[in-house]
Every structure is written in C-alpha cells, then in structure tokens.
C-alpha cells in the first residue's frame, strides 16, 4: 500500500516567517502534486513535480521532489495571512489514482 | 467555463438512511473520481468512473456505490449511513487522456 506522511500536521506562525512542509513515503511515485484547500472549497492544484531532484518555484513557494522520488517538500518564504489553509501532497499511484497525505494546516497570523 | 459543481452543498441525515450526492464535471471532462475527506484530514479515494463504468475502487464498503451518466455527470450513493460517514465528499474530474484533476467544492454530509 502506498502511503504519504506529511509533517507537521499543524503550523501556526507570524507573518513574515519562513516554513517548510514535508511529504514522505516509502514508495516511489511517478509524480507528486501539492494542493491548497481553503474552508468550504475543494483542493486546488499548486504544482506537479515529476523528475527526481526537480525544484519548482511559484512566487514565494518553492517545491522540491526528492532524488529517489519518494519525498517532497514545500517551502514558503515570508508567509502572509493569505497563505493560510490546508496544504496537501498527493502522489499518483501506479493505477493512476491520487493518494493524499493527511495534510498540513497552516495558520499565518498578521 | 464552469468548473466542477456538486449538489447539495450541505446535507444532514440520520443513521440508517440513504443519501445521493451529485457531481457535474468540468466541461469537456470524461472521468470522475469521488473522495471522502474527514475534518482536518486528506481526501481518501472512494472510486473512479469512466465511460459509465467503475474503473477503480478504494478501500470502502459496498454501502458506497456510484453511477456515471452518458453526459459524464456522476452520483455517489451511500446506504445504511453510519455516524462515521460524516465527512466532506469531494468530486474531481479530468480528461482521461490528460489526467489533471479539478475538484468541486464538496458536499458536507452530517450523520446524526
């Protein structure tokens, strides 16, 4: 069974601080995705990483895929209150379905 | 271009009842997946429909069933509701040839 473990589960920080969220698995995934979900809405795709060692940047967000394609990280620089939400990593299984981590709830205080 | 829509938004049922949730995929999409998301947790895959057939199924009991219609819309049915079925039910759609998933806002089901 392919599983994804996210850490930390909860994060409460002040505006302007940096943070990193981790997503780890014992299984290899062909690709990993990061989603952000706000209350009352469905997850929205932020990025897909495919190649081991790949780094992608989306404004203040930096995503990295591990060399062995078993782990990924999301780093946010100078967090803002608008970054508040549930961050989810998801791996594409060998049958094509998405397997989600348990999520990281981020609260950024002004 | 309408995204994925789901109805109803909220639903309250009692134990033992049956419920039907509905999903209309994003325009042009032919594949629909359903997920269950407990509060503060990640979504769990229930099943996926393509060409009106269930193609994949997650670790959910037979009380959970679904259907896809010729217009690609889909229904999720849950029989004999349990308290533990209380969750946000998400529908996601994609194009089978280009599998990027778009999620709907979900249906919040409360079982009392």
């Amino acid at each position: 069974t392919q599983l994804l473990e996210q850490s930390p589960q909860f994060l409460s920080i002040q505006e302007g601080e940096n943070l990193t969220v981790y997503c780890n698995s014992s299984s290899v995934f062909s690709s990993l995705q990061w989603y952000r979900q706000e209350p009352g809405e469905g997850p929205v795709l932020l990025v897909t990483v495919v190649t081991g060692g790949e780094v992608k940047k989306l404004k203040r967000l930096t995503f990295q895929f591990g060399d062995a394609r078993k782990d990924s990280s999301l780093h946010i620089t100078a967090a803002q209150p608008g970054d508040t939400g549930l961050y989810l990593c998801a791996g594409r299984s060998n049958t094509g379905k998405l397997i989600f981590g348990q999520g990281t709830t981020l609260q950024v205080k002004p | 271009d309408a995204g994925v829509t789901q109805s109803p938004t909220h639903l309250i049922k009692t134990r033992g009842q049956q419920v039907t949730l509905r999903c209309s995929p994003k325009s042009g999409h032919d594949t629909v997946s359903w997920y269950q998301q407990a509060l503060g947790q990640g979504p769990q895959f229930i099943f996926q429909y393509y060409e009106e057939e269930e193609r994949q199924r997650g670790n959910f009991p037979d009380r959970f069933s679904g259907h896809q219609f010729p217009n690609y819309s889909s229904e999720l049915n849950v029989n004999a509701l349990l308290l533990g079925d209380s969750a946000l039910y998400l529908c996601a759609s994609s194009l089978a040839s280009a599998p990027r998933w778009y999620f709907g806002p979900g249906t919040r089901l409360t079982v009392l």
Side-chain angles (χ1 to χ4, degrees), chain A residues 30-45:
Chain A
S30 59
S31 66
L32 262 174
Q33 298 181 327
W34 285 91
Y35 290 79
R36 179 166 164 255
Q37 185 178 17
E38 298 191 52
E41 299 181 11
V44 175
L45 180 65

Side-chain angles (χ1 to χ4, degrees), chain A residues 30-101:
Chain A
S30 59
S31 66
L32 262 174
Q33 298 181 327
W34 285 91
Y35 290 79
R36 179 166 164 255
Q37 185 178 17
E38 298 191 52
E41 299 181 11
V44 175
L45 180 65
L46 297 173
V47 77
T48 301
V49 285
V50 179
T51 306
E54 183 176 3
V55 177
K56 282 192 174 179
K57 291 190 175 184
L58 187 66
K59 297 182 182 178
R60 294 175 294 99
L61 279 59
T62 302
F63 304 87
Q64 187 162 6
F65 201 12
D67 290 341
R69 291 186 290 136
K70 292 182 179 181
D71 55 86
S72 181
S73 64
L74 156 61
H75 182 80
I76 301 179
T77 303
Q80 299 177 1
D83 295 327
T84 293
L86 178 67
Y87 289 82
L88 297 159
C89 66
R92 183 177 299 282
S93 76
N94 47 15
T95 60
K97 69 182 182 187
L98 287 179
I99 297 170
F100 283 88

